[in-house]
Amino acid sequence: MNPNHVVFFDTTLRDGEQSPGCSMTTQEKLTMAHALEDLGVDIIEAGFAMASEGDFAAIATITQAIRKPRIASLARAKAEDIEMAARSVQFADRARIHVFLASSDLHLEYKLKISRQEALDRTAESVRLARSFVDDIEFSPEDATRSDRDFLVEMVRVAIEAGATTINMPDTVGYTTPEEYGQMFREVRERIPAIDAQGIILSTHCHDDLGLAVANSLAAVSAGARQVECTINGIGERAGNAALEEIASAFYVRADRYGVSTDIQLEKLYPTSEVLGQIITFKPSPNKAIVGANAFAHESGIHQHGMLANPLCYEIMTPALVGVSKTHLVLGKHSGRAALRHRIEQLGYTISREELQQTYYRFVALADRKKNIYDQDLIGLLPETIRERRSEPVSELD
Ligand code: KIV
Ligand code: ZN
C-alpha cells in the first residue's frame, strides 16, 4: 500500500445521523451510500447496529447494495453489540467492525463506572471477539484527547495485541488543538513500534466544538495518520464532525504541504452535499467552505474587479473543481462598476461609459435599500434607450 495514501472513512450515516434533525430512513441512507460510493470514499460507517432495528436494517441493506467501499458497523465493547454488528455486515464483500470504549478517567469513573484494569480487559476481550467475525477491526479509545497519555498508550497496545488493525483516536468533545493532536499521534506511534512494524493504520476523528475539527484532522495526518473520519457538510453530534469536503479540498489545494493521495473525486463534492441537503432537508450555512452558497460568490467591487481580471486573484480553486457550476458575482452595495457592466452585458445590453456612470448611481441607491438585487431590478434601472438596444442575453435572468 502507498504510504502516502489517506483513507476516507465517512461517518455521515452514523455520527452525522446523530445530529439533531438528521436522522434518515433506510431508503435515505441507501441513497446517501450510493452518493458516497460515487464520491470515492473508502469506508462507509453505515450505522450502530445495536441502536435500533432501523439502524440494523439500514446497515444490512447497504452491505448488499454497495460493493466498492468497505462497510463499517459500530459497536460498544460488549459481546451483544459486537455480535449484532457482525450480523449486520455478514453479507458485505468487505466488512469492518468498529469497537469503542472510553479511555478517559472521566468517562471510566462517571459514565462506565469501571476501573482502568477492567477497561483494558474489556478492550482485549471485545477486540478478540470482533476479530472472530471479521479480519478488519477498528478500535477507538473514546475521549482519547482527554485521557491520561500513559493509559491511552496502554489501551492502544492492548487493542493491537488483541487484533485491531486500525486505531482511531477520537477528539470526542472537540477539545484538542492542532499542535496537541499532532503531538499525540507522534507520541503514540513512537511508543508503540508495532504500529509501523505491523502496518496498523492510525485514524483521526474530530468534533468541531471549537471550530478546529478540520485543522486537527490535518495536523494528525501530518503526524502520520492515514485514515480520516469525517462527514458530508460536517454534520454530526453538537457542532458536528470534521467536514469531508474541506479535508479533501485542503489535500488537493495544499498538496505542497500534505503530499498525500486519496480516491475522492473532487468534482462530486458539491453534488454529494446537495444529495445530503435534500435528504435531511437543510443545507449547510451560506458561508460554509467549499459547499456553502457563498463559497464562490463575490460582492465587493475590489474583489469582483480582480475576479474579472483573473479569478486566481480571489479564488484558490475553481468552482468546477468541486462540482459547483460557476462563480457568482453578487450585485450589492459593495459592488463596483466593472461587475455592474459585466452583468448588464451578460443580460444582452450594450452600455456606454456615461450610461454606466448614471446607472451605477441609481444602482448604489437601490442597493442601499434592498438586500438582494435581481436581474429584473437591474433592467428596471436602465434608461429606455439602452433597453431598446438589447441583443440576445448571454445567460438566463435570475
Ligand atoms: O466521537 C467519538 O468518540 C465517536 C466514537 C464512537 C468513535 O464517535
Ligand atoms: Zn464522534
Side-chain angles (χ1 to χ4, degrees):
M1 168 141 170
N2 170 0
N4 290 328
H5 191 77
V6 172
V7 167
F8 271 78
F9 176 111
D10 182 277
T11 183
T12 305
L13 301 181
R14 200 279 297 169
D15 221 346
E17 204 211 10
Q18 285 174 217
S19 85
C22 291
S23 70
M24 298 175 222
T25 64
T26 296
Q27 192 49 47
E28 289 168 340
K29 279 195 167 193
L30 188 58
T31 303
M32 197 59 215
H34 280 297
L36 293 169
E37 182 173 37
D38 285 351
L39 176 64
V41 307
D42 303 88
I43 301 166
I44 295 175
E45 186 164 53
F48 183 6
M50 196 67 182
S52 70
E53 277 177 24
D55 238 26
F56 179 93
I59 303 168
T61 305
I62 289 170
T63 59
Q64 289 171 61
I66 301 292
R67 288 287 164 235
K68 265 193 274 161
R70 190 177 284 276
I71 306 300
S73 186
L74 183 72
R76 288 170 298 183
K78 290 178 169 206
E80 61 268 35
D81 272 38
I82 293 166
E83 282 155 10
M84 188 74 99
R87 275 207 298 283
S88 71
V89 290
Q90 64 185 322
F91 299 114
D93 279 353
R94 294 176 313 129
R96 168 175 296 186
I97 298 179
H98 176 189
V99 180
F100 73 100
L101 181 65
S103 52
S104 68
D105 288 331
L106 193 66
H107 281 228
L108 293 182
E109 189 179 338
Y110 292 96
K111 189 182 78 174
L112 300 174
K113 302 190 187 346
I114 59 174
S115 67
R116 284 185 176 185
Q117 187 54 50
E118 283 170 302
L120 294 179
D121 294 344
R122 266 173 67 175
T123 300
E125 282 157 24
S126 52
V127 171
R128 261 191 240 112
L129 176 63
R131 192 69 204 244
S132 70
F133 296 110
V134 293
D135 287 344
D136 187 327
I137 305 299
E138 172 167 331
F139 178 76
S140 293
E142 190 192 10
D143 206 18
T145 52
R146 293 191 302 167
S147 302
D148 173 75
R149 191 59 56 80
D150 290 340
F151 182 65
L152 175 70
V153 169
E154 195 49 29
M155 197 180 228
V156 168
R157 202 191 308 274
V158 166
I160 293 173
E161 279 166 13
T165 45
T166 295
I167 296 291
N168 178 47
M169 295 193 280
D171 184 29
T172 304
V173 289
Y175 172 74
T176 198
T177 66
E179 298 75 18
E180 186 181 63
Y181 200 49
Q183 171 51 29
M184 185 176 89
F185 277 75
R186 266 184 221 99
E187 185 180 332
V188 171
R189 241 177 113 190
E190 268 166 31
R191 290 178 61 182
I192 309 180
I195 291 175
D196 285 341
Q198 294 178 26
I200 304 292
I201 300 285
L202 291 184
S203 167
T204 78
H205 178 113
C206 297
H207 282 270
D208 211 25
D209 301 66
L210 293 175
L212 292 172
V214 170
N216 290 336
S217 306
L218 296 175
V221 168
S222 295
R226 285 297 175 262
Q227 173 177 290
V228 285
E229 301 199 354
C230 42
T231 61
I232 300 297
N233 297 349
I235 65 167
E237 286 273 1
R238 306 179 310 279
N241 287 58
L244 182 150
E245 60 277 3
E246 295 179 21
I247 298 177
S249 302
F251 285 156
Y252 180 84
V253 173
R254 298 310 309 271
D256 58 326
R257 277 206 84 79
Y258 298 106
V260 295
S261 64
T262 77
D263 286 336
I264 296 296
Q265 307 296 308
L266 294 177
E267 74 288 356
K268 302 270 172 63
L269 287 174
Y270 183 68
T272 312
S273 160
E274 288 266 287
V275 172
L276 179 65
Q278 277 156 18
I279 291 175
I280 60 177
T281 69
F282 63 86
K283 284 174 173 285
S285 66
N287 63 332
K288 165 84 181 60
I290 318 295
V291 293
N294 292 346
F296 295 96
H298 306 266
E299 193 196 292
S300 92
I302 296 169
H303 287 212
Q304 290 180 336
H305 185 226
M307 282 295 298
L308 291 169
N310 182 343
L312 286 178
C313 290
Y314 287 105
E315 279 182 356
I316 56 170
M317 62 190 123
T318 64
L321 178 80
V322 295
V324 173
S325 59
K326 60 179 172 28
T327 292
H328 294 287
L329 296 185
V330 179
L331 291 176
K333 67 176 180 182
H334 304 109
S335 303
R337 290 168 189 75
L340 183 62
R341 173 190 285 283
H342 181 75
R343 190 67 195 140
I344 290 171
E345 288 176 354
Q346 275 190 323
L347 293 172
Y349 300 94
T350 49
I351 189 162
S352 70
R353 239 178 115 87
E354 297 76 55
E355 288 165 338
L356 178 67
Q357 189 65 11
Q358 289 161 17
T359 309
Y360 181 69
Y361 290 134
R362 287 203 292 275
F363 162 73
V364 173
L366 179 65
D368 255 340
R369 301 194 306 271
K370 204 166 177 289
K371 280 201 196 326
N372 298 311
I373 307 284
Y374 298 104
D375 289 342
Q376 292 299 359
D377 298 320
L378 268 191
I379 294 167
L381 294 176
L382 296 174
E384 193 61 41
T385 46
I386 298 186
R387 281 191 253 162
E388 281 161 7
R389 293 201 307 261
R390 181 165 184 254
S391 59
E392 276 306 298
V394 176
S395 67
E396 294 296 311
L397 302 187
D398 63 23

